[in-house]
Amino acid sequence: RSSLATLYNETSILEKHHSFRAFELMLHSNINLLAGLSSEDYDTFREMVMSIILATDMARHAEYMRRLKELTTPPDQRDDTSLPPPEPDSLFYMEILIKCADTSNVLKPFDVARKWAMRVTDEFFLQGDMERANGMDVTATCDRTTQSRVDLQKGFIDKVIGPYYKTVALFLPAMANIVSQIEVNRAEWDRYNDRMLEQELGNSYLPELPGLLNQEPMNLRVVTWNIAAVNNNPFEYW
């Protein structure tokens, strides 16, 4: 029901908006980052960047998991050994890596990962609050009245991103070390509950913006990534 959802036809809304903002900045008269590209090179670059950003839409996660499993399944275990999967192109590699970067909070040392867990679940719960306030069905993972921050992290690792990273490690063996860090973090989450997490972190996980007079942590309840769209100024992101 939001203006952004209407603008992008309710599919990959934030991803399309991120792509739009990226190109708005690169094409801004004060930057002109792409001025040296020919029309053909610009079209190629734009298509590539948009494809990579759209790969971060978790609605497409199953699509990438299916392709990775096709590429990592031994020939003698495939349903039809006469039809090997097509070789991935360079764009597919970039899409796989951007998905890793997009969810990399679970790969960070646990002291950092738990702060990102708080930030992510803050975003989820604020979305649920807005959905409830507007008379909409509350997205299951965004309902602060029924969800646990810690359980969301466990479920995300166990059911979604853990299997993804393990498959990526098979596809790109040089990245095998990422799996061990996820296992360390997953074990750490077993020691936590929401109250313990919130008491330990307090407000320390909230971002601080340089130049603010009071130098107090930002109140995420008054922040919106869409302020730039409202003010029509590509340089306003806070």
Side-chain angles (χ1 to χ4, degrees):
R1 298 180 186 181
S2 70
S3 59
L4 281 182
T6 302
L7 179 64
Y8 299 115
N9 296 319
E10 300 182 1
T11 57
S12 302
I13 299 164
L14 293 180
E15 292 78 17
K16 290 177 180 177
H17 187 61
H18 294 161
S19 178
F20 162 66
R21 285 295 169 191
F23 276 91
E24 185 178 41
L25 283 169
M26 288 187 285
L27 295 173
H28 194 278
S29 59
N30 289 346
I31 299 177
N32 272 331
L33 185 63
L34 308 179
L37 296 183
S38 66
S39 295
E40 182 179 355
D41 287 343
Y42 172 81
D43 290 343
T44 300
F45 176 75
R46 179 169 170 77
E47 182 179 356
M48 179 183 68
V49 170
M50 291 181 66
S51 180
I52 292 171
I53 294 176
L54 288 173
T56 64
D57 185 354
M58 288 304 292
R60 299 182 61 194
H61 183 71
E63 170 189 339
Y64 285 98
M65 280 296 295
R66 183 170 57 252
R67 181 79 191 283
L68 281 169
K69 287 181 178 179
E70 290 175 353
L71 292 166
T72 56
T73 300
D76 60 345
Q77 297 179 23
R78 293 178 189 145
D79 293 336
D80 188 346
T81 56
S82 65
L83 294 173
E87 285 295 318
D89 57 17
S90 58
L91 182 60
F92 180 75
Y93 282 90
M94 287 187 280
E95 291 170 348
I96 289 301
L97 291 175
I98 199 70
K99 280 179 61 64
C100 291
D102 187 48
T103 56
S104 62
N105 54 299
V106 300
L107 299 176
K108 292 175 170 48
F110 187 72
D111 187 53
V112 178
R114 64 179 184 157
K115 293 179 180 179
W116 277 105
M118 286 289 290
R119 293 165 186 157
V120 169
T121 49
D122 268 356
E123 179 184 340
F124 284 3
F125 293 161
L126 289 174
Q127 176 181 323
D129 294 344
M130 293 178 67
E131 290 171 340
R132 184 177 291 107
N134 284 278
M136 302 169 64
D137 292 335
V138 179
T139 304
T141 54
C142 299
D143 192 343
R144 70 171 71 244
T145 67
T146 61
Q147 289 291 349
S148 156
R149 294 179 190 266
V150 171
D151 286 346
L152 282 171
Q153 292 304 299
K154 291 179 180 179
F156 185 58
I157 292 173
D158 291 345
K159 299 177 181 179
V160 182
I161 214 62
Y164 174 75
Y165 281 122
K166 288 178 181 179
T167 311
V168 169
L170 292 174
F171 180 59
L172 300 171
M175 295 182 63
N177 64 315
I178 64 177
V179 176
S180 59
Q181 184 61 51
I182 292 178
E183 293 172 346
V184 169
N185 288 350
R186 178 61 181 84
E188 286 290 329
W189 283 121
D190 280 335
R191 301 192 307 104
Y192 274 79
N193 57 42
D194 283 23
R195 184 175 181 180
M196 179 180 174
L197 178 66
E198 292 167 357
Q199 285 180 341
E200 284 190 7
L201 290 180
N203 287 332
S204 65
Y205 71 96
L206 296 174
E208 296 182 13
L209 297 181
L212 293 183
L213 295 179
N214 56 14
Q215 288 296 311
E216 294 179 356
M218 181 192 302
N219 183 349
L220 292 185
R221 297 182 185 277
V222 299
V223 172
T224 170
W225 284 106
N226 296 329
I227 190 171
V230 174
N231 294 337
N232 197 29
N233 184 342
F235 294 100
E236 290 189 31
Y237 278 88
W238 301 101

